[in-house]
Amino acid sequence: MAKESMKAREIRRAKLVARYAEKRAALKEIVRTGEPADAFEAAQKLQDLPKNSNPIRMHNRCKLTGRPKGYIRQFGVSRIQFREMASNGLIPGVKKASW
């Protein structure tokens, strides 16, 4: 079996997060405000949900390379791609600082 790419894994996680979002929110609300017995049962059900359905497991990735670290949110690319694009004048309004 071939290894799955990181981008594909991230896409699969996004689908799982979307599929279980409503159910997860309802269970969390019960845990937060419900009676202790109901809250315990809801917590157990939360644990039974797939691990990748938790939105905290999502990671921002560079749109060009898929790199997960050094992501610049405003531009949607990694720091390396950002620097390269800025140096080549591909990002409007961004100028390389030199002093």
Side-chain angles (χ1 to χ4, degrees), residues 7-85:
K7 283 185 181 180
R9 237 179 275 170
E10 207 63 43
I11 291 168
R12 205 164 36 106
R13 276 191 192 116
K15 288 179 184 174
L16 265 177
V17 167
R19 186 184 316 156
Y20 286 98
E22 201 172 298
K23 187 174 188 178
R24 182 175 287 278
L27 288 171
K28 285 180 90 166
E29 184 63 25
I30 293 170
V31 169
R32 199 171 64 77
T33 61
E35 296 293 317
D38 296 336
F40 180 76
E41 190 177 321
Q44 293 294 319
K45 287 180 181 176
L46 256 177
Q47 287 180 354
D48 291 339
L49 293 179
K51 189 179 355 181
N52 282 331
S53 70
N54 193 344
I56 202 74
R57 292 183 61 91
M58 295 291 299
H59 208 294
N60 290 330
R61 290 185 173 272
C62 174
K63 287 185 175 79
L64 302 175
T65 61
R67 188 176 204 278
K69 297 191 176 178
Y71 178 81
I72 300 176
R73 204 174 278 199
Q74 188 174 358
F75 299 97
V77 294
S78 69
R79 62 183 175 79
I80 298 163
Q81 289 299 312
F82 174 77
R83 186 165 192 255
E84 198 173 291
M85 290 172 72

